[in-house]
Amino acid sequence: MRSTSSLNGDGPRALTAGAVPGATHSRSQLRFGLWGRGADAGVLGNAVTSFHFVEQAHVPGILRDAGPDGLSTEDLAAKNMELRAMVPSAKVSDIDPTKMGHILRLLATCHWVREVRPDVFANNHLTAIMDSSKSLYTLKSARLGGDVPTTGLTQWLLDGGFAANPTNGLPLALAFDTPRKHYHWLEQPGNEWRLARFGHAMNGTRYWEVAENIVQVLQAWGAQHAELFNSGRVSFHAQDFFDEHKPFELAGVGTVTPPAIFLTRAVAYNWPDRDAKVMLLILRRAAAQHTKLLLVDSLPPYACVDSGTGINSTYDDAVRSLVPEGSPLLPNLGKASAKGHILDISMHARPDAKERTYREMDALTQSAGWKITSVMHVVGSLWAYTTAVPI
């Protein structure tokens, strides 16, 4: 297995300090070291789609001209738009650079491109395999040619899916010719095997999705935790994420308003920014100054050290790297964290959502009137407990 420096072609990497000792878990480092060619099978689905997009978007050629310092996703998107404008059959629309950044970050995690700084990418030796070696002037003159890609995610991204406010589930609609969103589509006739497989993957959390399933939750919990319900310590209340939060009554407590804490687990990553912001704004309006918001979601790290520059963060102790200074591993542990980035691409392709980086989560919470005060990472996992308070 080639070293990180040989793949990057820029000499040994100097990683800054700031790693969290608990996050630098020996199992994760060992997992990267043992991940040979045979282990790459788990990456293939979303990685191949990402490769397809990068090739169709001429990213290697654009990055070649940028040199070792790389190019920001904003500049990449702008240059891609220049090329797309020359294709007669291509739709030209506003581009959301964050989607491009998430795709390139998966490939950087697998050493197929290099993340120089957060959301700034450069070619490495492997990327050269995908490079046509044609200048952007030549590509423009040739008008790119070829047919519009047929892969659902790639077609969505190149034909308008980069727009800032695309419809939820549009890649799924292109791939399976359905107007339904992902969860509704799974329950349609003919998808029984997909629904069963998805249910196993989610380990029963589907019970929480609709109000009618509260009865099933009570039945599942009742035998083992009946005393919690009988004493009134635990109760379930139906609540639409997009309805204003209303006070409710608890036995022995009275009216609960405003609450001391809002806990959302695996919620934000199911929704695009515009919808997640609406939900957080609703919680903010229902909160008092003492109310805390606890977001339990994955925070996938960058494939580079995050120096903390260029961000208007309200929290100064965000993790900058998952490895200690001098480690040959990527700052996000490379392929040991690939599953989180693979899931991220799946979230883009199905509900048009994403696994947010710390910077993205910080920007989202601030836009809804919250500020992050602490982040606690789960050892050996990309999951994190992010606490925020009203601004």
Side-chain angles (χ1 to χ4, degrees), residues 61-143:
I62 297 174
L63 290 180
R64 171 179 21 89
D65 291 351
D69 291 336
L71 205 63
S72 70
T73 52
E74 287 85 358
D75 292 335
L76 262 173
K79 290 185 177 295
N80 178 265
M81 287 296 295
E82 293 179 20
L83 291 174
R84 294 288 293 168
M86 303 301 295
V87 182
S89 60
K91 297 178 181 178
V92 180
S93 60
D94 293 336
I95 290 178
D96 181 356
T98 62
K99 289 184 172 66
M100 181 178 283
H102 282 242
I103 288 177
L104 291 175
R105 189 162 300 115
L106 169 60
L107 299 184
T109 299
C110 299
H111 294 285
W112 276 91
V113 71
R114 184 164 58 93
E115 189 166 18
V116 182
R117 300 182 302 280
D119 294 312
V120 176
F121 296 88
N123 280 342
N124 62 13
H125 293 328
L126 291 181
T127 322
I129 298 174
M130 305 171 65
D131 188 0
S132 67
S133 298
K134 297 179 180 179
S135 68
L136 295 186
Y137 176 80
T138 301
L139 291 173
K140 289 179 182 179
S141 300
R143 301 176 69 86

Side-chain angles (χ1 to χ4, degrees), residues 46 71 104 107 113 133-134 168 196 198 207 211 228 250 259 341 382 389:
N46 286 347
L71 205 63
L104 291 175
L107 299 184
V113 71
S133 298
K134 297 179 180 179
N168 282 355
F198 182 80
Y207 286 149
L228 296 178
L250 282 182
H341 295 281
L382 300 185
V389 297

Side-chain angles (χ1 to χ4, degrees), residues 16-36:
T16 64
V20 175
T24 311
H25 200 278
S26 59
R27 289 182 299 177
S28 295
Q29 298 192 38
L30 180 62
R31 190 183 310 142
F32 173 87
L34 295 179
W35 193 319

